[in-house]
């Protein structure tokens, strides 16, 4: 007899598959050698497996030395409508940051180039608007899809930094 997966798992996988289908054109642009949706999924799984193995090595090495590691996670949100947010207290960066900082391990959030802006001139950090195929777009995405607290229609890009766990095995001197 054939074992069938639980309906909830099938529904969850199908929902993720449908979401991925929506962003497939972007994935196709990132992986030009990918021909089909299934090949794109396989490529992403393969990348995740390679990165996962590398991360596992770093974590285990720290653990073997009775220590821990922090990390960073880059997030990209595709399809946020142009004009979401406000220019003052309800800006998109503030809203996202307040949610992320509610996680105790999160110690930093940067949008777009983030702290890299300190090394740029204003003219280099600019995301100029253009009209392309009848739509207003930005020529670059240095600011992570948000200008003045309002989304530009480009992918919203931010990075979250987490502190390494302080509950390491090595004894601490407390005086």
């Amino acid at each position: 007899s054939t074992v069938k997966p639980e309906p909830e798992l099938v529904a969850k996988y199908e929902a993720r598959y449908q979401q991925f289908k929506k962003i497939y054109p972007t994935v196709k642009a990132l992986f030009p050698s990918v021909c089909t949706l299934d090949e794109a999924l396989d490529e992403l799984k393969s990348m995740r497996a390679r990165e996962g193995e590398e991360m596992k090595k770093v974590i285990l090495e720290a653990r073997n030395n009775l220590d821990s590691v922090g990390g960073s996670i880059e997030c990209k949100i595709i399809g946020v409508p142009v004009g979401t947010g406000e220019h003052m207290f309800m800006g998109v960066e503030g809203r996202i940051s307040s949610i992320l900082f509610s996680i105790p391990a999160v110690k930093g959030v940067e949008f777009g180039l983030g702290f890299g802006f300190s090394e740029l001139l204003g003219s280099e950090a600019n995301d100029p608007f253009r009209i392309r195929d009848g739509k207003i777009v930005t020529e670059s995405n240095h600011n992570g899809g948000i200008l003045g607290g309002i989304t530009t229609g480009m992918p919203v890009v931010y990075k979250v930094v987490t502190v390494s766990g302080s509950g390491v095995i090595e004894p601490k001197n407390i005086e």
Side-chain angles (χ1 to χ4, degrees):
S1 74
T2 305
V3 177
K4 291 187 177 183
E6 295 180 28
E8 296 85 26
L9 289 176
V10 172
K12 185 175 179 181
Y13 176 78
E14 181 60 29
R16 287 189 176 176
Y17 185 76
Q18 293 304 324
Q19 288 172 344
F20 185 79
K21 276 176 48 177
K22 290 178 186 174
I23 65 165
Y24 178 67
T26 303
V27 172
K28 182 78 171 161
L30 293 173
F31 306 108
S33 62
V34 174
C35 296
T36 68
L37 185 58
D38 288 331
E39 288 172 349
L41 285 169
D42 290 343
E43 178 68 18
L44 289 172
K45 287 177 192 173
S46 169
M47 284 176 56
R48 186 177 292 162
R50 288 190 303 270
E51 291 170 353
E53 286 303 314
E54 191 60 37
M55 287 189 303
K56 208 181 290 184
K57 285 179 193 175
V58 171
I59 293 166
L60 290 175
E61 182 178 331
R63 182 178 176 200
N64 289 338
N65 292 322
L66 305 178
D67 215 335
S68 61
V69 297
S72 63
I73 304 162
E74 184 176 69
C75 306
K76 294 181 181 176
I77 307 170
I78 299 170
V80 178
V82 175
T84 301
E86 294 181 18
H87 67 283
M88 287 295 283
F89 303 108
M90 299 303 278
V92 174
E93 295 106 321
R95 287 179 158 193
I96 292 173
S97 295
S98 68
I99 294 166
L100 295 171
F101 279 119
S102 71
I103 302 167
V106 171
K107 297 301 175 191
V109 177
E110 65 178 7
F111 291 84
L113 297 178
F115 292 103
F117 283 119
S118 66
E119 299 172 17
L120 299 179
L121 297 170
S123 59
E124 297 171 311
N126 191 15
D127 287 331
F129 286 98
R130 299 284 182 256
I131 296 177
R132 190 174 298 138
D133 298 327
K135 294 182 181 179
I136 299 174
V137 297
T138 59
E139 196 173 275
S140 55
N141 197 21
H142 302 304
N143 291 278
I146 306 167
L147 292 171
I150 301 170
T151 58
T152 64
M154 296 293 284
V156 173
V157 181
Y158 59 93
K159 189 179 281 188
V160 180
V161 178
T162 61
V163 68
S164 54
S166 59
V168 296
I169 302 168
E170 188 174 288
K172 296 178 178 65
N173 290 330
I174 302 174
E175 295 182 26

